[in-house]
Amino acid sequence: MNLKAIILDEKGIKRTLTRISHEIIEKNKGVEDIVLVGIKRRGYPIAKRIAEIIEQIEGRKVEVESVDITLYRDDLSKLDEQPIVTDMDLINVEEKKLILVDDVIYTGRTVRAAIDAVIHAGRPKMVQLAVLVDRGHRELPIRPDYIGKNIPTSRNELVSVEITEIDGCDSVKIYEQ
């Protein structure tokens, strides 16, 4: 793979997450009953960062949970015959405003699987979606409510999100395959 472009660096990611945090507060008229649900793996630390920014702005903590979509994927047969059962880390979601958080949205299948997992845990008041990067190419009618960066890509490009909590640095890069 060849590096095509660096889209966001550490400062760019921080600015983007700050903007998303402000948009969440504005759209929901505050943070009452909001729970951020990070889609494991990189969505969870991103959700925690958004919660920290919201707390700095509003002076109120926002709950952060995680969801592991392994059991809800529609391509499990391609991954492994026996899916590994993982814990659902979701609190009671009844009548809460859930904001799913992920690093990249592509086909929409990961988000659909996360919604399935959330609904399995209960019936939220509403579900919104926040993504750091929207690269297009949706296969399902799913649209994020909060988008950090729209990056039109071709199908032979790879969007790589690195975050300090997992990768040791913050960046969004595009590679050509």
Side-chain angles (χ1 to χ4, degrees):
M1 286 190 295
N2 297 321
L3 178 64
K4 183 176 176 182
I6 299 172
I7 304 301
L8 292 171
D9 60 8
E10 182 178 348
K11 287 182 181 178
I13 289 175
K14 184 173 180 166
R15 280 191 303 270
T16 300
L17 295 181
T18 300
R19 181 177 44 76
I20 288 173
S21 300
H22 280 284
E23 290 174 3
I24 288 170
I25 294 165
E26 288 173 20
K27 183 171 184 170
N28 292 285
K29 297 175 177 58
V31 293
E32 190 72 31
D33 293 328
I34 288 180
V35 177
L36 298 174
V37 180
I39 300 173
K40 286 186 176 175
R41 184 133 182 241
R42 286 173 179 78
Y44 182 58
I46 291 170
K48 288 169 67 173
R49 288 188 191 185
I50 291 170
E52 289 170 5
I53 296 167
I54 288 173
E55 184 177 0
Q56 291 170 2
I57 297 166
E58 289 289 293
R60 291 185 63 183
K61 282 189 180 268
V62 174
E63 261 185 283
V64 181
E65 302 292 334
S66 66
V67 63
D68 185 343
I69 62 156
T70 307
L71 291 175
Y72 297 88
R73 293 187 54 154
D74 59 4
D75 61 349
L76 274 177
S77 61
K78 298 174 194 168
L79 298 173
D80 192 356
E81 288 182 29
Q82 293 296 323
I84 298 169
V85 176
T86 56
D87 293 332
M88 283 286 291
D89 293 336
L90 288 176
I91 49 114
N92 179 8
V93 299
E94 296 291 326
E95 294 304 311
K96 302 277 182 157
K97 295 178 188 175
L98 297 189
I99 301 174
L100 291 174
V101 180
D102 206 3
D103 57 347
V104 178
I105 187 167
Y106 182 38
T107 62
R109 293 183 183 279
T110 297
V111 173
R112 187 212 43 92
I115 291 170
D116 287 349
V118 164
I119 299 301
H120 184 82
R123 185 180 176 136
K125 183 184 236 176
M126 72 168 47
V127 178
Q128 298 173 3
L129 175 61
V131 297
L132 182 61
V133 175
D134 183 347
R135 64 170 292 188
H137 303 286
R138 216 76 77 242
E139 295 174 3
L140 298 171
I142 293 174
R143 183 177 52 88
D145 299 277
Y146 314 99
I147 300 169
K149 192 89 168 161
N150 278 300
I151 304 173
T153 61
S154 71
R155 291 194 183 268
N156 66 345
E157 292 175 322
L158 173 74
V159 175
S160 172
V161 174
E162 296 176 315
I163 56 170
T164 303
E165 295 87 338
I166 294 172
D167 307 298
C169 65
D170 285 342
S171 70
V172 176
K173 299 173 184 170
I174 296 181
Y175 291 92
E176 289 182 302
Q177 296 183 6

